[in-house]
Amino acid sequence: MLWIALALVLLAALGAPFFALIAAIALLGFHAQGYEPALVAVEIYRLAEMPVLVAIPLFTLAGYLLSESQAPRRLVRLTEAWFGWMPGGLAIVALVASALFTALTGASGVTIVALGAVLFPALLHGRYRENFSLGLITASGSLGMLFAPALPLIIYGVVAQQLNTTPGVRMEELFLAGILPGLLMLLVLAVYSIWQAPRDVERASFRWSEALAALKEARWELPLPILVLGGIYSGRIAPSEAAAVTALYVFLVTVVIRREVAFSRLPQVVREAMMLVGGLLVILGAAFALTNYLIDAEIPTRLFEWVQAHVHSRAVFMLALVVFLLLFGMLLEGYPAIVVLTPLILPIAIGYGMDPVHFGILFIALLQIGLFMAPLGMNLFIASYRFRKPVTVVIRDSLPFFVLLLLTALVITFVPQLSLALLDRG
Amino acid sequence: MSLRQRLHRIEDLVLAVMGIGLLLLAGLQVCLRAFGGGVEWFDPLLRTMTLWLAMLGALVATREGRHLHIDLLARRLAERFGAWPGRLVLLFSTAVCVVLAQASYELVKLEYEGGAAAFAAVPNWLAMAILPLAFAWMALRFALQMIWPATAEPHA
């Protein structure tokens, strides 16, 4: 048993794909419980049985099509026209644009690479200090996962629903619950940016003509938030239907009306998007099997009893949870952490009186911060690679942002009302 | 164009056609439903397409070595010890995919004998058939990569 565990940890460290590792644990677990391996396949086949999963390729396609078009540039122009006059305006532009981009594509590293390429030089040009700018771009990949239709929210929802918790976890509730905590993270970094903004430069003054022109230029993109958010947040249509409408609309705008994504580019773009989806869904499929094994072997229950015997105070449990989730967010890069840890920890969290929706929000908030936590957070290396700075410099420059977001995450953890206020149950 | 490149082209094409197909069909279904219509078997069809897209996407990700994994240590070790740690990982991935391919083949066989329909006239076993196919294909790919390492293809 110990040897198998050690071998798997070693393989993970050597770079084995997460789906293979998770599937291996599930296969071994099913074998130990005396079940046929075909039952693992039954679990993976559930990828074809859940209506909500159709939303994942659709939203991803929409995100990739948008990022291939001129929409990111228009987004930057629009936010600049409306916020650029404020002190720290450009930094706020970077934060808001990155959050929206991550929410749509669900890929935080892509945000740093795609938007950072535009925003980093722009910040330097606007006379922001270089270490502030680098830190900001690195941290900006860690915003936006709490806003619909970000994939981490959907994945958490799907996995949590497997556990049949009381109270349950509904997708619309998760989407609503993410809004205020997500905005708080943005607000904290925006205030810090205003404080850090260069004071001696002349800022562009607000001009109605530019503001309206930017608005007009973005007229096709403007209905999108209403389509996505209105559809999902109203709870009137299912996430998969909102995804279908969004994807079709984005396709029509980027390929047919604006023609910014050429027809000949389409196979490339779809391929890139589907590689992400495929990589994600095989992990999820393997995780269905793992969850099933864990529940069958009563491992969450035993884990809960063990924790309860050792941790008596709720506050201590929650602090330990914060440290644990940050660490795993750093090591497992988001999605694998969600699918593996949710079945193990959610039952314990509920045992300590936490709401499963609130747990999901703080879980994702901590995971996205873990993405740029020293020393191993993935985004540190992406930023280091993209902007040709030593990792140590990236770590130093992003540290103030990390501390601020960590404090915000503690608030999100210890003030459940922030997540639950917009819900009926709040 | 080599046989291998041609095969990659076909995979990409199927992926693209199916991805755009999913987008159009799902959009059409919502529009139809808004007017009180909606085709009943579209929903299971869309779900099955999602599974196929996922497996084909994973297959292409295998080809380019783009499955989610911990990257950092692997790169350091490769500098130190050459290709062997990577080969160990590939051996493991191959083994897991072989077992998964066989397990899902068993499932398809059971369904074939059971004979339920997934949607319209399409039987369940056919909808499932992508599982053993893709896992077997991935196993083969991982195995071959022990000899010829995966390379990300340049963007056109």
Coordinates of all heavy atoms in Angstrom, one line a residue, chain A residues 170-235:
Chain A
R170 N -26.2 23.8 -6.4 CA -26.8 24.0 -7.7 C -25.9 25.0 -8.4 O -25.3 25.8 -7.9 CB -28.2 24.6 -7.6 CG -29.2 23.6 -6.9 CD -30.6 23.7 -7.6 NE -31.0 25.1 -7.9 CZ -31.6 25.9 -7.1 NH1 -31.8 25.6 -5.8 NH2 -31.9 27.1 -7.5
M171 N -25.8 24.7 -9.8 CA -24.9 25.5 -10.6 C -25.1 27.0 -10.5 O -24.2 27.8 -10.3 CB -24.9 25.0 -12.0 CG -23.7 25.0 -12.8 SD -22.3 24.2 -12.0 CE -22.4 22.5 -12.6
E172 N -26.4 27.4 -10.6 CA -26.7 28.8 -10.6 C -26.3 29.4 -9.2 O -25.9 30.6 -9.2 CB -28.2 29.1 -10.7 CG -29.0 28.3 -11.7 CD -29.4 27.0 -11.2 OE1 -30.5 26.8 -10.6 OE2 -28.6 26.0 -11.4
E173 N -26.4 28.6 -8.1 CA -26.0 29.2 -6.8 C -24.5 29.4 -6.8 O -24.1 30.4 -6.3 CB -26.4 28.2 -5.7 CG -27.9 28.1 -5.5 CD -28.3 27.0 -4.5 OE1 -27.6 26.0 -4.4 OE2 -29.2 27.2 -3.8
L174 N -23.8 28.5 -7.4 CA -22.3 28.7 -7.4 C -22.0 30.0 -8.2 O -21.1 30.7 -7.8 CB -21.6 27.5 -8.1 CG -21.2 26.3 -7.2 CD1 -20.7 25.3 -8.1 CD2 -20.2 26.8 -6.2
F175 N -22.6 30.1 -9.3 CA -22.3 31.3 -10.2 C -22.7 32.6 -9.4 O -21.9 33.5 -9.5 CB -23.2 31.2 -11.5 CG -22.7 30.2 -12.4 CD1 -23.6 29.6 -13.3 CD2 -21.4 29.7 -12.4 CE1 -23.1 28.6 -14.2 CE2 -21.0 28.7 -13.3 CZ -21.8 28.2 -14.2
L176 N -23.8 32.6 -8.7 CA -24.1 33.8 -7.9 C -23.2 34.0 -6.8 O -22.7 35.1 -6.5 CB -25.5 33.6 -7.4 CG -26.7 33.9 -8.3 CD1 -28.0 33.6 -7.6 CD2 -26.7 35.4 -8.6
A177 N -22.8 32.9 -6.1 CA -22.0 33.0 -4.9 C -20.6 33.6 -5.2 O -19.9 34.2 -4.4 CB -21.8 31.7 -4.2
G178 N -20.1 33.3 -6.5 CA -18.8 33.8 -6.8 C -18.6 35.3 -7.0 O -17.5 35.8 -7.0
I179 N -19.8 36.0 -7.3 CA -19.7 37.4 -7.7 C -19.0 38.3 -6.7 O -18.0 38.9 -7.0 CB -21.1 37.9 -8.0 CG1 -21.7 37.1 -9.2 CG2 -21.1 39.4 -8.4 CD1 -23.1 37.5 -9.5
L180 N -19.6 38.3 -5.5 CA -19.0 39.3 -4.5 C -17.6 39.0 -4.1 O -16.8 39.9 -4.1 CB -20.0 39.3 -3.2 CG -21.3 39.9 -3.5 CD1 -22.1 40.0 -2.2 CD2 -21.2 41.3 -4.0
P181 N -17.3 37.7 -3.8 CA -15.8 37.4 -3.5 C -14.9 37.8 -4.6 O -13.9 38.3 -4.4 CB -15.8 35.9 -3.2 CG -17.2 35.6 -2.8 CD -18.1 36.5 -3.5
G182 N -15.4 37.5 -5.9 CA -14.6 37.8 -7.0 C -14.4 39.3 -7.2 O -13.2 39.8 -7.4
L183 N -15.4 40.1 -6.9 CA -15.3 41.5 -7.0 C -14.4 42.1 -5.9 O -13.7 43.0 -6.1 CB -16.7 42.2 -6.9 CG -17.6 42.1 -8.1 CD1 -19.0 42.7 -7.9 CD2 -16.9 42.8 -9.3
L184 N -14.5 41.4 -4.7 CA -13.7 41.9 -3.6 C -12.2 41.8 -3.9 O -11.4 42.7 -3.7 CB -14.0 41.1 -2.3 CG -13.2 41.5 -1.1 CD1 -13.6 43.0 -0.7 CD2 -13.4 40.6 0.1
M185 N -11.8 40.6 -4.6 CA -10.4 40.4 -5.0 C -10.0 41.5 -5.9 O -8.9 42.1 -5.8 CB -10.3 39.0 -5.6 CG -10.4 37.9 -4.6 SD -10.1 36.3 -5.4 CE -8.9 35.6 -4.3
L186 N -10.9 41.8 -6.9 CA -10.6 42.8 -7.9 C -10.4 44.2 -7.2 O -9.5 44.9 -7.5 CB -11.7 42.9 -8.9 CG -11.6 42.2 -10.2 CD1 -12.8 42.4 -11.1 CD2 -10.4 42.8 -11.0
L187 N -11.3 44.5 -6.3 CA -11.4 45.8 -5.6 C -10.1 46.0 -4.8 O -9.5 47.1 -4.9 CB -12.6 45.9 -4.7 CG -12.8 47.2 -4.0 CD1 -13.2 48.2 -5.0 CD2 -13.8 47.1 -2.9
V188 N -9.7 45.0 -4.1 CA -8.5 45.1 -3.3 C -7.3 45.4 -4.1 O -6.5 46.3 -3.8 CB -8.2 43.8 -2.5 CG1 -6.8 43.8 -1.8 CG2 -9.3 43.6 -1.4
L189 N -7.1 44.7 -5.2 CA -6.0 45.0 -6.1 C -6.1 46.3 -6.8 O -5.1 47.0 -7.0 CB -5.8 43.8 -7.1 CG -5.3 42.5 -6.6 CD1 -4.9 41.6 -7.7 CD2 -4.3 42.6 -5.5
A190 N -7.3 46.7 -7.1 CA -7.5 48.0 -7.7 C -7.1 49.2 -6.8 O -6.4 50.1 -7.2 CB -9.0 48.2 -8.2
V191 N -7.5 49.0 -5.5 CA -7.1 50.1 -4.5 C -5.6 50.1 -4.4 O -5.0 51.2 -4.4 CB -7.8 49.8 -3.2 CG1 -7.2 50.7 -2.1 CG2 -9.3 50.0 -3.3
Y192 N -5.0 49.0 -4.3 CA -3.5 48.9 -4.2 C -2.9 49.6 -5.5 O -1.9 50.3 -5.3 CB -3.1 47.5 -4.1 CG -1.6 47.3 -4.0 CD1 -0.8 47.8 -3.0 CD2 -0.9 46.7 -5.1 CE1 0.6 47.6 -2.9 CE2 0.5 46.5 -5.0 CZ 1.2 47.0 -3.9 OH 2.6 46.8 -3.9
S193 N -3.5 49.3 -6.6 CA -2.9 49.9 -7.9 C -3.0 51.4 -7.9 O -2.1 52.1 -8.3 CB -3.7 49.4 -9.1 OG -3.5 48.0 -9.1
I194 N -4.2 51.9 -7.4 CA -4.3 53.4 -7.3 C -3.3 54.0 -6.4 O -2.7 55.0 -6.7 CB -5.8 53.7 -6.8 CG1 -6.8 53.3 -7.8 CG2 -5.9 55.2 -6.5 CD1 -8.2 53.4 -7.4
W195 N -3.0 53.3 -5.3 CA -2.0 53.8 -4.3 C -0.6 53.8 -5.0 O 0.2 54.6 -4.7 CB -2.1 52.9 -3.1 CG -1.2 53.3 -2.0 CD1 -1.0 54.6 -1.5 CD2 -0.2 52.5 -1.3 NE1 -0.1 54.6 -0.5 CE2 0.4 53.3 -0.4 CE3 0.1 51.1 -1.4 CZ2 1.4 52.8 0.5 CZ3 1.0 50.6 -0.5 CH2 1.7 51.5 0.4
Q196 N -0.3 52.7 -5.8 CA 1.0 52.5 -6.3 C 1.2 53.3 -7.7 O 2.3 53.3 -8.2 CB 1.3 51.1 -6.6 CG 1.5 50.3 -5.3 CD 2.8 50.5 -4.8 OE1 3.8 50.5 -5.5 NE2 2.9 50.7 -3.5
A197 N 0.1 53.9 -8.2 CA 0.2 54.5 -9.5 C 1.2 55.6 -9.5 O 1.3 56.3 -8.6 CB -1.2 54.9 -10.0
P198 N 1.9 55.8 -10.7 CA 2.8 57.0 -10.8 C 2.0 58.3 -10.7 O 0.9 58.4 -11.2 CB 3.4 56.8 -12.2 CG 2.4 56.0 -12.9 CD 1.8 55.1 -11.9
R199 N 2.5 59.2 -9.9 CA 1.7 60.4 -9.6 C 2.1 61.6 -10.5 O 1.3 62.5 -10.7 CB 2.0 60.9 -8.1 CG 1.1 60.1 -7.2 CD 1.7 60.0 -5.8 NE 1.6 58.6 -5.3 CZ 0.6 58.1 -4.7 NH1 -0.5 58.9 -4.5 NH2 0.6 56.9 -4.3
D200 N 3.3 61.5 -11.0 CA 3.8 62.7 -11.7 C 3.5 62.7 -13.2 O 3.9 63.6 -13.9 CB 5.3 62.8 -11.5 CG 6.0 61.5 -11.9 OD1 5.3 60.5 -11.9 OD2 7.2 61.5 -12.2
V201 N 2.8 61.7 -13.7 CA 2.5 61.7 -15.1 C 1.1 62.3 -15.4 O 0.2 62.3 -14.6 CB 2.5 60.3 -15.7 CG1 3.9 59.8 -15.9 CG2 1.7 59.3 -14.9
E202 N 1.0 62.8 -16.6 CA -0.3 63.3 -17.0 C -1.1 62.2 -17.5 O -0.7 61.4 -18.3 CB -0.1 64.3 -18.2 CG 0.1 65.8 -17.7 CD 0.2 66.7 -18.9 OE1 -0.7 66.7 -19.7 OE2 1.2 67.5 -18.9
R203 N -2.3 62.1 -17.0 CA -3.1 61.0 -17.4 C -4.1 61.5 -18.5 O -4.3 62.7 -18.6 CB -4.0 60.5 -16.3 CG -3.2 59.6 -15.3 CD -4.1 59.1 -14.3 NE -4.8 60.1 -13.5 CZ -4.3 60.8 -12.5 NH1 -3.2 60.4 -12.0 NH2 -5.0 61.7 -11.9
A204 N -4.5 60.6 -19.4 CA -5.5 61.0 -20.4 C -6.7 61.4 -19.6 O -7.2 60.8 -18.6 CB -5.8 59.8 -21.3
S205 N -7.3 62.5 -20.1 CA -8.6 62.9 -19.5 C -9.7 62.2 -20.1 O -9.6 61.7 -21.2 CB -8.8 64.4 -19.6 OG -8.6 64.8 -21.0
F206 N -10.8 62.1 -19.4 CA -12.0 61.4 -19.9 C -12.6 62.1 -21.0 O -12.9 63.3 -20.9 CB -13.0 61.2 -18.8 CG -14.2 60.4 -19.2 CD1 -14.2 59.0 -19.2 CD2 -15.4 61.1 -19.6 CE1 -15.3 58.3 -19.6 CE2 -16.5 60.4 -20.0 CZ -16.4 59.0 -20.0
R207 N -12.8 61.4 -22.2 CA -13.4 62.1 -23.3 C -14.6 61.3 -23.7 O -14.6 60.1 -24.0 CB -12.4 62.2 -24.5 CG -11.3 63.2 -24.2 CD -10.7 63.6 -25.6 NE -10.7 62.6 -26.6 CZ -9.7 61.7 -26.7 NH1 -8.6 61.7 -26.0 NH2 -9.8 60.7 -27.7
W208 N -15.8 62.0 -23.8 CA -17.0 61.4 -24.2 C -16.9 60.8 -25.6 O -17.4 59.7 -25.8 CB -18.2 62.3 -24.1 CG -18.8 62.4 -22.7 CD1 -18.6 63.4 -21.9 CD2 -19.5 61.4 -22.1 NE1 -19.3 63.1 -20.7 CE2 -19.9 61.9 -20.8 CE3 -20.0 60.1 -22.5 CZ2 -20.6 61.2 -19.9 CZ3 -20.7 59.4 -21.5 CH2 -21.0 59.9 -20.3
S209 N -16.2 61.5 -26.5 CA -16.2 61.0 -27.8 C -15.5 59.7 -27.9 O -16.0 58.7 -28.6 CB -15.4 62.1 -28.7 OG -14.2 62.3 -28.2
E210 N -14.3 59.5 -27.2 CA -13.6 58.3 -27.2 C -14.4 57.2 -26.5 O -14.4 56.0 -26.9 CB -12.2 58.5 -26.5 CG -11.4 57.2 -26.2 CD -11.1 56.3 -27.4 OE1 -11.2 56.8 -28.6 OE2 -10.7 55.2 -27.2
A211 N -15.0 57.6 -25.4 CA -15.8 56.6 -24.6 C -16.9 56.0 -25.5 O -17.1 54.8 -25.5 CB -16.3 57.3 -23.3
L212 N -17.6 56.9 -26.2 CA -18.7 56.4 -27.0 C -18.2 55.7 -28.3 O -18.8 54.6 -28.6 CB -19.5 57.6 -27.5 CG -20.3 58.3 -26.3 CD1 -21.1 59.5 -26.8 CD2 -21.3 57.3 -25.7
A213 N -17.0 56.1 -28.8 CA -16.5 55.4 -30.0 C -16.0 54.0 -29.6 O -16.3 53.0 -30.3 CB -15.3 56.2 -30.5
A214 N -15.4 53.9 -28.4 CA -15.0 52.6 -27.9 C -16.2 51.7 -27.7 O -16.2 50.5 -28.0 CB -14.2 52.7 -26.6
L215 N -17.2 52.3 -27.2 CA -18.5 51.6 -26.9 C -19.1 51.1 -28.2 O -19.5 49.9 -28.4 CB -19.5 52.5 -26.2 CG -20.5 51.9 -25.3 CD1 -19.8 51.1 -24.2 CD2 -21.3 53.0 -24.7
K216 N -19.0 52.0 -29.2 CA -19.6 51.6 -30.5 C -18.8 50.5 -31.2 O -19.3 49.6 -31.8 CB -19.6 52.8 -31.4 CG -20.5 52.6 -32.7 CD -20.5 53.9 -33.5 CE -21.1 53.5 -34.9 NZ -20.5 54.4 -36.0
E217 N -17.5 50.6 -31.0 CA -16.6 49.6 -31.7 C -16.9 48.2 -31.1 O -16.8 47.2 -31.7 CB -15.1 50.0 -31.5 CG -14.2 49.2 -32.4 CD -12.7 49.3 -31.9 OE1 -12.5 49.4 -30.7 OE2 -11.9 49.1 -32.8
A218 N -17.2 48.2 -29.8 CA -17.4 46.9 -29.1 C -18.9 46.5 -29.1 O -19.3 45.7 -28.3 CB -16.9 47.0 -27.7
R219 N -19.7 47.1 -30.0 CA -21.1 46.9 -30.0 C -21.5 45.4 -30.1 O -22.5 44.9 -29.5 CB -21.9 47.7 -31.0 CG -21.5 47.3 -32.5 CD -22.1 48.3 -33.4 NE -21.7 48.1 -34.8 CZ -20.5 48.4 -35.3 NH1 -19.6 49.0 -34.5 NH2 -20.2 48.1 -36.6
W220 N -20.8 44.6 -30.9 CA -21.1 43.2 -31.0 C -20.8 42.4 -29.8 O -21.4 41.3 -29.5 CB -20.4 42.6 -32.2 CG -21.0 43.1 -33.5 CD1 -20.4 43.9 -34.4 CD2 -22.3 42.7 -34.1 NE1 -21.3 44.1 -35.5 CE2 -22.4 43.4 -35.3 CE3 -23.3 41.9 -33.6 CZ2 -23.5 43.3 -36.1 CZ3 -24.4 41.8 -34.4 CH2 -24.5 42.5 -35.6
E221 N -19.7 42.8 -29.0 CA -19.3 42.1 -27.8 C -20.2 42.5 -26.6 O -20.3 41.7 -25.7 CB -17.9 42.3 -27.5 CG -16.9 41.6 -28.3 CD -16.5 42.3 -29.6 OE1 -17.0 43.4 -29.8 OE2 -15.8 41.7 -30.4
L222 N -20.8 43.7 -26.7 CA -21.5 44.2 -25.5 C -22.7 43.3 -25.1 O -22.9 43.1 -23.9 CB -22.0 45.6 -25.7 CG -20.8 46.6 -25.6 CD1 -21.4 48.0 -26.0 CD2 -20.2 46.6 -24.3
P223 N -23.4 42.7 -26.0 CA -24.5 41.8 -25.6 C -24.0 40.5 -24.8 O -24.8 39.9 -24.2 CB -25.3 41.4 -26.9 CG -24.8 42.4 -27.9 CD -23.4 42.8 -27.5
L224 N -22.7 40.2 -25.0 CA -22.3 38.9 -24.5 C -22.5 38.7 -23.0 O -23.0 37.7 -22.5 CB -20.8 38.7 -24.8 CG -20.5 37.9 -26.1 CD1 -19.0 37.9 -26.3 CD2 -21.0 36.5 -25.9
P225 N -22.0 39.7 -22.2 CA -22.2 39.6 -20.7 C -23.7 39.3 -20.4 O -24.0 38.6 -19.5 CB -21.7 40.9 -20.1 CG -20.8 41.5 -21.2 CD -21.3 41.0 -22.5
I226 N -24.6 40.0 -21.2 CA -26.0 39.9 -20.9 C -26.4 38.4 -21.2 O -27.2 37.8 -20.5 CB -26.8 40.9 -21.6 CG1 -26.3 42.3 -21.3 CG2 -28.3 40.8 -21.4 CD1 -26.7 43.4 -22.2
L227 N -25.9 38.0 -22.4 CA -26.3 36.6 -22.8 C -25.8 35.6 -21.8 O -26.6 34.7 -21.3 CB -25.6 36.3 -24.1 CG -26.3 36.7 -25.4 CD1 -25.4 36.2 -26.6 CD2 -27.7 36.1 -25.5
V228 N -24.5 35.7 -21.4 CA -23.9 34.7 -20.5 C -24.5 34.8 -19.1 O -25.1 33.9 -18.6 CB -22.4 34.9 -20.5 CG1 -21.8 33.9 -19.5 CG2 -21.8 34.7 -21.8
L229 N -24.3 36.1 -18.6 CA -24.7 36.2 -17.2 C -26.2 36.3 -17.0 O -26.7 35.6 -16.1 CB -24.0 37.5 -16.7 CG -22.5 37.6 -17.0 CD1 -21.9 38.9 -16.5 CD2 -21.8 36.4 -16.3
G230 N -26.9 37.0 -17.9 CA -28.3 37.1 -17.8 C -28.9 35.7 -17.8 O -29.7 35.3 -17.0
G231 N -28.4 34.9 -18.8 CA -28.9 33.6 -19.0 C -28.7 32.7 -17.7 O -29.6 32.1 -17.2
I232 N -27.4 32.7 -17.3 CA -27.1 31.8 -16.2 C -27.6 32.3 -14.9 O -28.2 31.6 -14.1 CB -25.5 31.7 -16.1 CG1 -25.1 30.9 -17.4 CG2 -25.1 30.9 -14.9 CD1 -23.6 30.7 -17.4
Y233 N -27.3 33.6 -14.6 CA -27.6 34.2 -13.3 C -29.1 34.2 -13.0 O -29.5 34.2 -11.9 CB -27.0 35.5 -13.1 CG -25.5 35.5 -12.8 CD1 -24.6 36.3 -13.5 CD2 -24.9 34.6 -11.9 CE1 -23.2 36.2 -13.3 CE2 -23.6 34.5 -11.7 CZ -22.7 35.3 -12.4 OH -21.4 35.2 -12.2
S234 N -29.9 34.4 -14.1 CA -31.3 34.4 -13.8 C -31.8 33.0 -13.4 O -32.9 32.9 -12.8 CB -32.1 34.9 -15.1 OG -32.0 33.8 -16.1
G235 N -31.0 32.0 -13.8 CA -31.5 30.6 -13.4 C -32.6 30.2 -14.3 O -33.1 29.1 -14.1

